[in-house]
Amino acid sequence: MKYSIISRGDPFSASIVVELHEKLGLINLINDQDNPNIVITVGGDGTMLKAVHQYLDIIDQVVFIGVHTGKLGFYTDFTHENVDLLIEQIKNDEYIDIKFPLLSANVWTNSICEQYYALNEITLINAFHTQHLDVFINDEYFESFQGTGLCVSTPTGSSAYNKSLGGALLHPNLQAFQLTEIGSINNNVYRTISAPMIFPKEQSIILKSKDSYEVSLTVDHEHQTLKGYDEIRCTLSDKSVVFRQFIEKDFWKRIQKSFL
Ligand code: NAD
């Protein structure tokens, strides 16, 4: 069995990394940063998001374990106090795994497609100019959007940026994804649905740009500038991320612990 550790890098996380290497070595696990079966993150949700993106190419071969070293994380179940229990679980092959789906976004520009996967969400934002785009649902025209941007989120991403935008919290057993507006303009000229929308997995949302402004595309913690695109096609993918839980925790317990 091979493992890798991704750390936030602060002194407290670094001390836990040293402890983990020592204890995982004692149970004969091999440190392999390139091709692990188990990825342990030490830090917060940001560290977990980075780790998931680092191992996207082998996502169906790895399981993620989060040790949080700050305030309680949404994706990180273990604390420094239960590192020994984590080691025991790995040694005895006893675990409670949970699967969370990834969103896929195909960005088409000049007949070239770039594919992205998000654990939380993708957003398309123009913070400086009004963004004009058409929204299609399954290739059927739905509405013309004017405003700052749009957010398309996964069920677990529903408690991240989506929640700040007034989106609904979505249980991850629902194979669905959500579209929320960011600063839409609604008046006598422009009109959008102005409500979060939830789509079943087999459907897709297509966003087609109607202006030539640059926009920011965010994929979880990553961002880039799109200097024009033809369309962005989003749907819930067949890929998912497997997380190892400290104790079995229903999604609503996870929400309650994180927010209340
Ligand atoms: P980060 O590590 O500071 O994370 C941002 C915050 O979001 C942290 O408090 C983190 O615990 C929390 N978080 C992340 N995923 C979550 C989830 N699924 N449910 C509940 N809370 C969650 O910063 P980062 O590395 O840049 O993280 C990127 C994430 O930050 C994005 O995926 C986005 O969801 C979130 N974000 C939120 C807003 C907002 O709410 N206005 C704006 C930008 C980004």
Side-chain angles (χ1 to χ4, degrees):
M1 186 80 80
K2 293 174 290 180
Y3 75 95
S4 76
I5 302 180
I6 306 294
S7 166
R8 180 164 53 197
D10 59 285
F12 183 46
S13 300
S15 70
I16 292 170
V17 172
V18 171
E19 181 186 349
L20 279 167
H21 279 306
E22 205 178 288
K23 292 183 170 168
L24 290 165
L26 290 175
I27 58 166
N28 299 322
L29 258 73
I30 299 156
N31 181 3
D32 183 341
Q33 288 296 124
D34 295 330
N35 212 9
N37 312 106
I38 298 173
V39 175
I40 303 174
T41 66
V42 185
D45 287 325
T47 318
M48 181 59 86
L49 289 173
K50 279 185 199 127
V52 166
H53 281 261
Q54 182 169 336
Y55 293 105
L56 268 179
D57 288 346
I58 53 165
I59 206 78
D60 45 1
Q61 299 164 35
V62 287
V63 57
F64 291 83
I65 305 177
V67 179
H68 63 82
T69 50
K71 49 188 169 36
L72 192 72
F74 188 76
Y75 291 115
T76 54
D77 273 10
F78 291 81
T79 65
H80 69 284
E81 283 152 4
N82 36 57
V83 162
D84 284 336
L85 214 119
L86 187 163
I87 304 287
E88 273 303 292
Q89 286 190 6
I90 295 174
K91 185 178 152 196
N92 300 334
D93 217 12
E94 286 170 358
Y95 47 80
I96 317 156
D97 284 349
I98 190 165
K99 257 186 183 185
F100 294 142
L102 290 170
L103 186 84
S104 92
N106 286 347
V107 179
W108 286 90
T109 316
N110 300 326
S111 306
I112 295 170
C113 177
E114 290 278 350
Q115 184 161 38
Y116 299 90
Y117 290 99
L119 177 59
N120 275 346
E121 76 284 294
I122 70 138
T123 70
L124 198 59
I125 295 176
N126 190 331
F128 305 107
H129 298 285
T130 304
Q131 190 175 173
H132 296 265
L133 56 86
D134 283 339
V135 179
F136 292 73
I137 300 172
N138 302 325
D139 292 308
E140 298 265 352
Y141 172 78
F142 180 71
E143 67 176 7
S144 293
F145 173 90
Q146 293 72 216
T148 304
L150 291 169
C151 171
V152 188
S153 57
T154 63
T156 51
S158 69
S159 53
Y161 202 165
N162 169 75
K163 182 172 174 292
S164 307
L165 299 170
L169 294 172
L170 213 59
H171 196 287
N173 283 7
L174 297 168
Q175 292 283 301
F177 61 105
Q178 186 165 183
L179 176 70
T180 38
E181 298 180 351
I182 307 171
S184 63
I185 297 173
N186 274 282
N187 53 32
N188 289 342
V189 184
Y190 297 137
R191 185 130 322 271
T192 62
I193 196 72
S194 296
M197 294 172 76
I198 297 169
F199 300 86
K201 183 181 175 182
E202 59 278 7
Q203 297 201 336
S204 54
I205 303 167
I206 298 106
L207 311 175
K208 292 191 184 185
S209 176
K210 284 170 69 186
D211 61 43
S212 52
Y213 291 129
E214 291 182 351
V215 283
S216 296
L217 172 73
T218 71
V219 181
D220 295 336
H221 59 293
E222 296 179 340
H223 64 92
Q224 61 172 284
T225 302
L226 292 183
K227 297 182 175 75
Y229 67 92
D230 299 323
E231 65 170 53
I232 302 180
R233 193 170 280 261
C234 303
T235 192
L236 204 65
S237 79
D238 289 326
K239 283 184 190 284
S240 51
V241 185
V242 178
F243 290 97
R244 194 145 292 178
Q245 300 178 93
F246 173 51
I247 45 168
E248 190 152 23
K249 214 191 285 171
D250 178 64
F251 179 70
W252 299 123
K253 275 270 169 254
R254 197 173 282 277
I255 291 290
Q256 185 190 36
K257 269 211 125 155
S258 300
F259 295 104
L260 298 176

